[in-house]
């Protein structure tokens, strides 16, 4: 890639970005689009526009961490700690509003200036050894700045987590533990009696009651069917009411065919049909609920305690002498509990985990093989042979050019698009009990995939060292090289980063795609209020794919920070811009789908260090190739990184894995409503008719309420 | 070593053994020796001879595991599980007394017979490939038998531990946790207030009180001095009384000189002098006790709970968000608490641990260097130069021969004798808080030393493969080779094993050395009853050196089991005889100095598997060298061993590291005397004058008894 094409691509990206930002400013002001640009605010019952005339940038910058936590949860706040750590511009907001942080930011500013100086100075040095010395010092400098930032961030996140857990608001998951691997029921006892007597015996004073995990497959299916019919009924009624309103006095009663996709079968009156179906399903659901609660007990249970300390302590303690029975962990939030994974047994989980690791390793290393085979079969020639009727089209010059360019990558593109979902599926197959944990696991796998394939695949195996050489050959014209002919790979990655932050964040901010989809849906598909709401309800931030993407950028920035220092401003811009735009999105758009109280962080931390070590090893290799006399000293850096990782792990990690008792010791003044805590864990399919409360008392509480609390 | 010298050495060992056993039978019947042969029984207030006419073998064989536990504790019982697992003859006693176990023992018998058959059959095979097949099968057979035995043993030991912990007898350590790394005292609080309010807050219902760990260095010194003078006073009074009794009406008041070793200085009246000293020291001790309890608080504390479940759960829970503060573990027994290690901080412990690992690794790999240097300097020539006055002696032919034989090994002998103590010192320097843990750590280090140096040093690096060859060359005369010229190394190790079990266990049983020392002491040194008791009071079984020794034997037996099957009966004899003789010693002689409730076992288990893997790898190498076509299949065995170790670790280990709550949930019917539990942890130096109880109330309980219990 030559310099002009690089600049062209950069300029194009930038123009697209500006257009998207302007689009955002224009579109977001239209009241009809408020549900697309401010869904989070609307869902919380706020006016989308109460910031008055302040620009979105101003609002994002002046928002505090506490705002983010209260609006979007601790996990989102932790993600911002990550972004600001990565961009090095820690606490942008507090820098502006709070003078006390100025010294720290000053330090960072100095750190960047020093970094630039070191790197640029070497370009003017004439003696090769001097330049290598500059390289050498820069590697140390970058490493220590990274250690410092990571340490500060880990400490900060740990405090965030402690604060969130200390909060006196009753969170149901803080009063419960998840017990798996319950041994088979002894003769003459029910599962319920077994579980209750076991915990009653160990915790006579703090045990409240237990909820057996049941096999909800059938009941869930009926429930979803029922909900589906209810939605369809509302829709049919809305269409009917609409047709009445638009003139016809009687209205047209909507009809549909009962067969496949509504295309075949008998035509029926929709409202009647759905009503009939619903009336059929309700008793079926009720009886299935009863039989599920009575009979379909699995070997897992949720156990509730009367205090947070008791639950936190129980989640960390070994209960049974047989370690693989009665295993307890802290209960995940009700909304992120993966019910179907709870029955998987101790050693089965271990086996599944390793099987999944092997599959992932095979995927990472050999994914090109099946893709290559598919590509080989989908050449133009083969297409013409297999699908002769396309011959006419394929012989057109323009079509051929486009297809020749994209066809070989088609399989790869499909593969890359499906990969995150595939990895999430694999992670859930490990037997992980909570959604957030599964997302973390999938995100970790994706990180290794992207670093190993995208980064190492393109760089180290390819031409990283050749770029080193080209600078080496003409040291005098180093600045020229940097400016005019940026090393091939570096240019590739610079374009990549620029594309990602200009176009990626531009699309993110402008929400063009969701906007179009929403308007199409509202115009042509949605008939009821509920359907309209479904059309705009936003998702979560999606850490699973976002973080590995960011990690790849960090790896690129670190590894090129010395050899192609132009990457540094690009990296800072990526994370700075990301911080700004995602802050806006977090405050106004996305609604988190779960809360893990910052458990995300240790995961991010370890992978940043992995990227750092990759950088240090690469530089060690480079200086070794250059026969720099002192390069063996660089071997101390990866070791230092490992020690740093070890110390951080020892000092912080366990507080993320377990709940420290001191942070939950401050019980809220009023006694929590434990009944409500208990009920919040009942899945909706088992909680259908609120009026029918006795049923749970019957079935769930055969021996319950044995706790001293009631 | 030729066959005749091997047989001679074997016969000599056997004769020595017989003589020692006869000596034991004769000497142990003499009433005057009862304190040497039955000290454990005497200390427990039993008649040494209540077994009547039964032989010691009969008594040992008919003792049950429960007897061993009640007399010598769970650790000793676990050691016997190890010995019987190692000898393969599980449950000798129950085999004899209980027919239900017969099937299992039958299985083992069959297993040994099959093993012998496999190995001996190959010796008669003419085709090399057939013999290699026999080798191949034998390796698999030995491995699977080992897995089976280890699995059974781990299960059994786990049950033993659970039983011991369930026992309703009040054990003080079950009501306490050890808290280290307490952060510095906040302004306006005392250390006591800080600790009490912290735990009061987390455990409002179950916290009883706390005991601060103090710096006892000075007070211990004064206390020991005082105790020394008291002993000397009793001794002086006994001498005086004795001299009065033996005629002189006034008696001779004993005197001594106050200077170095009683050789120089002023001569004083001993009784008066010691009385004076004691009277001086008592107030000094008291004031030092007070100042220690008031001021010398360290950053550690023992925290007591009102129930065993509360303590067990607290010991496993994370207390502080800062993971390196307020770290809690279960309290060790009072008698094995290493007070001086308790103040060592979290990261200092980590650093110490790794430093110690490095020192141990250096010791293991390079211990020959300093010893070689010392040996080089202590040759006869050098001695004559350095110590010319020895010239006359050194020129004697007889003296020279002996010295020439032993002088080179002198440094090695001294080194090997001091090594266990050195390793124990290193393990304690790691900052380990309990004696039993330090012994386990030292024993692990010793295992690696002996396997790497003694076994691998002698065998693999030397001539193991040459012995394979010599059998290989003359396959027809294999039986002859086995009978007449046992491979050199195998003979060395057979002699070694025979020596160890005949002479070692003979000495162990006959207790010749302690007997002689006791009689000398009683005759010439002991003047008081107390001194006599000190002279015969036995030590503990000494797992620290015993287990690595046994492990070395296991390694030898495993590795030679296929190539030189004669080693198998020797191994069985070693462990069988060891079982029998140590059973006698455990029942009658040794008094355990601590109880770790079987924590020993996981440690033993892992090292047996390490020995097994060494064996499997050796055999894989051997069959590979022989170009046996299927030898790569053997690589599955080390992997299988690792998987086995992993499964065992997952299934059993945590129940040894932590206390399972279900086993301590059965609280004893009567409320334990918590005051007594608390007091049992006060070190004797701080507990001097029983009458002076208030002092502890004052100093230890500034804010204590805040618990809801009192």
């Amino acid at each position: 890639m030559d310099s002009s094409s690089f600049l062209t691509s950069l300029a194009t990206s930038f123009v697209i970005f500006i257009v998207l930002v302007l689009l955002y400013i224009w579109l977001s002001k239209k009241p009809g689009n408020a549900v697309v640009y401010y869904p989070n605010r609307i869902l919380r019952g706020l006016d989308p526009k109460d910031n008055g005339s302040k620009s979105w940038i101003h609002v994002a910058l002046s928002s505090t961490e506490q705002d983010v936590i209260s609006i979007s949860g601790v996990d989102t706040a932790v993600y911002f700690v990550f972004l600001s750590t990565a961009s090095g511009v820690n606490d942008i907001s507090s820098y502006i509003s709070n003078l006390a942080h100025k010294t720290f930011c000053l330090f960072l500013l100095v750190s960047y200036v020093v970094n630039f100086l070191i790197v640029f100075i070497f370009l003017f040095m004439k003696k090769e050894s001097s330049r290598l010395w500059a390289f050498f010092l820069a590697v140390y400098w970058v490493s220590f700045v990274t250690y410092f930032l990571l340490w500060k961030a880990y400490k900060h996140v740990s405090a965030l987590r402690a604060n969130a857990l200390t909060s006196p608001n009753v969170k149901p998951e803080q009063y419960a533990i998840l017990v798996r691997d319950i041994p088979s029921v002894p003769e003459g006892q029910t599962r319920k009696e077994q579980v209750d007597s076991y915990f009653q015996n160990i915790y006579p004073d703090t045990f409240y009651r237990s909820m057996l995990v049941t096999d909800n497959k059938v009941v869930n299916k009926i429930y979803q069917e029922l909900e589906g019919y209810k939605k369809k009924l509302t829709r049919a009624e809305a269409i009917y009411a609409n047709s009445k309103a638009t003139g016809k006095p009687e209205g047209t009663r909507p009809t549909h065919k009962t067969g496949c996709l509504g295309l075949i079968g008998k035509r029926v009156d929709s409202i009647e049909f759905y009503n009939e179906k619903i009336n059929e399903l309700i008793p079926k659901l009720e009886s299935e609920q009863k039989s599920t609660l009575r009979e379909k007990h699995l070997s897992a249970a949720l156990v509730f305690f009367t205090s947070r300390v008791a639950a936190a302590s129980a989640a960390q303690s070994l209960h049974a002498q047989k370690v693989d029975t009665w295993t307890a962990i802290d209960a995940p939030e009700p909304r992120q509990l993966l019910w179907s994974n709870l029955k998987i047994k101790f050693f089965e989980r271990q086996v599944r985990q390793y099987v999944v690791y092997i599959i992932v390793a095979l995927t990472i290393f050999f994914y090109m093989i099946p893709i290559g085979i598919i590509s080989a079969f989908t050449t133009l020639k083969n297409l013409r042979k297999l699908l002769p009727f396309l011959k006419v089209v394929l012989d057109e010059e323009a079509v051929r050019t486009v297809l020749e360019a994209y066809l070989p990558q088609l399989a790869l593109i499909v593969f890359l698009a499906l990969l995150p979902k595939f990895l999430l599926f694999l992670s859930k197959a490990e037997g992980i009990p909570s959604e957030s944990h599964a997302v973390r696991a999938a995100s970790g796998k994706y990180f290794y995939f992207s670093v190993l394939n995208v980064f190492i695949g393109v760089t180290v195996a390819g031409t990283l060292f050749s770029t080193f050489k080209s600078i080496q050959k003409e040291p005098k014209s180093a600045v020229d090289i940097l400016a005019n002919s940026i090393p091939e790979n570096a240019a590739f990655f610079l374009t990549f980063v620029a594309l990602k932050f200009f176009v990626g964040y531009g699309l993110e901010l402008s929400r063009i795609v969701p906007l179009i989809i929403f308007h199409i849906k509202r115009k042509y598909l949605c008939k009821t209020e509920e359907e309209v709401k479904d059309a705009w309800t936003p998702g979560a931030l999606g850490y699973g794919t976002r973080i590995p993407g960011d990690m790849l950028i960090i790896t690129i920035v670190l590894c090129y920070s010395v050899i192609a220092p132009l990457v540094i401003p690009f990296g800072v811009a990526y994370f700075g811009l990301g911080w700004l735009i995602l802050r806006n999105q977090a405050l106004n758009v996305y609604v988190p789908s779960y809360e893990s109280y910052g458990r995300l962080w240790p995961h991010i931390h370890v992978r940043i260090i992995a990227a750092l070590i990759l950088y240090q090893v690469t530089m060690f290799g480079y200086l070794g190739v250059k026969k720099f006399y002192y390069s063996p000293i660089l071997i101390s850096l990866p070791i230092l990184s490992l020690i740093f990782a070890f110390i951080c792990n020892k000092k912080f990690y366990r507080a993320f894995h377990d709940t420290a008792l001191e942070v939950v010791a401050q019980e809220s003044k009023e006694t929590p409503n434990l009944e409500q805590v208990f009920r919040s864990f009942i899945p909706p399919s088992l909680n259908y008719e609120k009026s029918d409360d006795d049923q749970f008392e019957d079935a769930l509480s055969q021996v319950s309420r044995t706790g001293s609390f009631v």
Side-chain angles (χ1 to χ4, degrees), chain A residues 91-108:
Chain A
D91 293 66
I92 294 189
S93 54
S94 52
Y95 172 55
I96 290 166
S97 60
N98 183 352
L99 286 171
H101 274 75
K102 240 177 182 164
T103 43
F104 178 62
C105 285
L106 208 67
F107 165 80
L108 272 165

Side-chain angles (χ1 to χ4, degrees), chain A residues 641-662:
Chain A
S641 297
L642 288 174
I643 293 173
F644 177 75
F646 174 79
I647 291 173
C648 286
N649 189 50
K650 278 278 174 189
K651 191 174 172 72
F652 299 109
Y653 180 66
R654 209 187 149 192
F656 284 81
H657 185 265
D658 297 324
T659 304
L661 297 188
E662 66 174 17

Side-chain angles (χ1 to χ4, degrees), chain A residues 411-693:
Chain A
L412 182 62
I413 290 165
V414 171
F415 171 79
L416 287 178
L418 293 180
L419 186 65
K421 281 194 202 336
F422 176 61
L423 293 178
L424 186 63
F425 164 77
L426 281 180
S427 299
K428 283 185 181 170
E430 285 179 35
I432 287 170
S434 73
E435 183 78 28
S436 64
H437 190 170
V439 169
R440 285 200 299 280
S443 160
K445 297 179 176 85
Y446 198 64
F447 168 75
Y448 291 112
F449 177 84
S450 58
V451 165
L452 281 174
N453 284 314
V454 182
F455 181 69
I456 297 191
V458 173
T459 310
V460 178
T463 45
L464 180 67
F465 288 108
S466 75
T467 68
F468 285 138
K469 265 184 199 157
S470 70
I471 291 194
Q472 214 54 44
K473 270 180 193 160
E474 308 179 35
K476 292 160 211 163
S477 63
V479 181
D480 286 355
I481 289 176
L482 201 78
N484 293 324
S485 65
I486 290 162
E488 212 174 331
N489 266 319
F492 172 81
F493 281 118
L494 283 180
T495 324
F496 178 76
V497 174
L499 197 77
K500 258 211 131 177
F501 78 75
F502 280 143
V503 179
Y505 282 129
L507 283 174
E508 175 70 59
L509 179 70
S510 62
R511 285 178 71 73
I512 293 292
V513 179
L515 184 79
I516 294 168
I517 290 174
F518 165 69
H519 280 294
I520 290 173
K521 273 193 180 169
R522 195 175 57 172
K523 189 130 190 186
Y524 300 107
L525 295 170
C526 303
K527 302 292 177 187
T528 63
E529 269 305 297
E530 213 185 337
E531 281 176 334
V532 174
K533 198 182 159 189
D534 280 353
W536 59 257
T537 301
L541 252 160
Y543 307 114
T545 49
R546 212 175 274 278
I547 290 176
D550 297 342
M551 284 294 170
L552 182 60
I553 306 286
I554 287 196
T555 313
I556 291 170
V557 172
L558 274 176
C559 290
Y560 281 92
S561 65
V562 173
I563 189 72
L566 244 189
V567 84
I568 293 178
F570 278 73
V572 172
Y574 174 83
F575 289 106
L577 208 61
W579 188 96
L580 190 69
I581 285 171
L582 288 175
R583 192 79 155 199
N584 179 62
Q585 307 300 83
L587 293 175
N588 298 326
V589 181
Y590 293 118
V591 176
S593 63
Y594 55 76
E595 172 67 275
S596 71
Y597 302 107
R599 284 200 181 171
L600 206 60
W601 181 258
H603 166 98
I604 296 176
H605 176 88
V606 167
R607 279 160 188 83
I608 296 182
I609 292 182
L612 184 68
I613 291 176
L614 183 63
Y615 160 59
Q616 292 164 339
V617 170
T618 310
M619 291 312 296
F620 170 70
Y622 172 65
L623 288 175
V625 165
K626 292 280 143 220
K627 294 192 179 120
F628 179 55
Y629 189 72
Y630 297 98
S631 71
I633 301 174
L634 271 188
I635 210 71
S636 66
L637 274 180
I639 295 168
L640 206 64
S641 297
L642 288 174
I643 293 173
F644 177 75
F646 174 79
I647 291 173
C648 286
N649 189 50
K650 278 278 174 189
K651 191 174 172 72
F652 299 109
Y653 180 66
R654 209 187 149 192
F656 284 81
H657 185 265
D658 297 324
T659 304
L661 297 188
E662 66 174 17
V663 305
V664 288
Q666 302 296 345
E667 300 284 340
S668 53
K669 286 291 164 288
E670 69 235 67
T671 323
N673 185 341
L674 288 173
E675 184 64 24
Q676 207 173 310
V677 164
F678 175 79
R679 284 197 168 273
S680 67
F681 273 93
I682 301 173
S685 61
L686 289 176
N687 204 7
Y688 179 58
E689 291 284 292
K690 280 276 173 195
S691 59
D692 222 21
D693 260 352

Side-chain angles (χ1 to χ4, degrees), chain A residues 232-464:
Chain A
K232 283 181 186 161
L233 177 63
T234 329
R235 186 188 161 90
E237 281 169 350
I239 292 169
Y240 183 49
N242 212 24
S243 79
K244 264 204 269 189
T246 52
K248 297 158 205 159
E250 285 297 283
T252 318
R253 286 185 75 87
T255 59
H256 71 278
K257 288 182 180 169
T258 55
C260 173
L261 291 171
L263 294 174
I264 48 168
K266 214 174 70 178
R267 180 162 290 276
V268 291
D269 180 298
S270 296
I271 297 178
E272 261 173 39
F273 178 77
Y274 293 137
N275 264 323
E276 212 170 276
K277 279 284 180 190
I278 289 169
N279 289 335
E280 250 173 53
L281 280 174
I282 286 180
K284 207 173 152 193
L285 177 66
E286 279 171 9
S287 83
E288 184 56 38
Q289 282 179 340
K290 270 182 197 150
S291 83
T292 301
L293 290 172
R294 289 243 169 75
E295 290 152 27
K296 296 189 172 175
H297 297 155
L298 301 176
S299 60
L302 289 151
V303 176
F304 296 86
F305 293 88
T306 56
S307 83
R308 302 196 295 185
V309 171
S313 181
Q316 300 172 43
S317 298
L318 176 71
H319 284 81
Q321 182 74 17
K322 288 182 182 165
V323 180
D324 57 344
T325 60
W326 297 103
T327 52
I329 59 168
D330 40 358
E333 287 178 310
R335 58 179 168 174
Q336 56 162 314
L337 204 55
L338 299 174
W339 279 76
S340 54
N341 271 350
L342 300 185
K343 64 171 181 293
I344 301 170
K345 285 282 188 182
F346 191 78
F347 279 110
E348 195 187 331
R349 294 200 296 273
Q350 311 284 341
V351 171
R352 277 165 175 255
Q353 202 182 7
Y354 286 100
V355 170
V356 165
Y357 287 173
I358 291 168
I359 294 175
V360 170
L362 292 178
T363 311
I364 291 179
F365 288 107
F366 303 115
Y367 77 101
M368 283 311 290
I369 294 172
I371 289 175
I373 293 169
I374 293 170
S375 299
F377 277 101
T378 52
T379 55
L380 279 186
K381 260 190 190 168
N382 280 326
L383 273 188
R384 279 166 70 173
K385 248 190 229 163
L386 292 169
L387 308 167
F389 56 88
L390 288 177
K391 221 173 176 179
V392 192
V393 188
L394 291 176
D395 286 343
E396 294 262 336
E397 186 63 28
V399 175
R400 236 179 53 198
T401 318
V402 172
L403 279 181
E404 258 170 5
Y406 286 105
L407 217 51
Q409 279 93 37
L410 194 68
L412 182 62
I413 290 165
V414 171
F415 171 79
L416 287 178
L418 293 180
L419 186 65
K421 281 194 202 336
F422 176 61
L423 293 178
L424 186 63
F425 164 77
L426 281 180
S427 299
K428 283 185 181 170
E430 285 179 35
I432 287 170
S434 73
E435 183 78 28
S436 64
H437 190 170
V439 169
R440 285 200 299 280
S443 160
K445 297 179 176 85
Y446 198 64
F447 168 75
Y448 291 112
F449 177 84
S450 58
V451 165
L452 281 174
N453 284 314
V454 182
F455 181 69
I456 297 191
V458 173
T459 310
V460 178
T463 45
L464 180 67

Side-chain angles (χ1 to χ4, degrees), chain A residues 138-151:
Chain A
V139 178
Y140 269 90
W141 175 256
V142 169
S143 300
F144 279 97
V145 169
T146 311
Y147 298 149
F148 174 78
L149 289 176
L150 283 179
W151 181 264

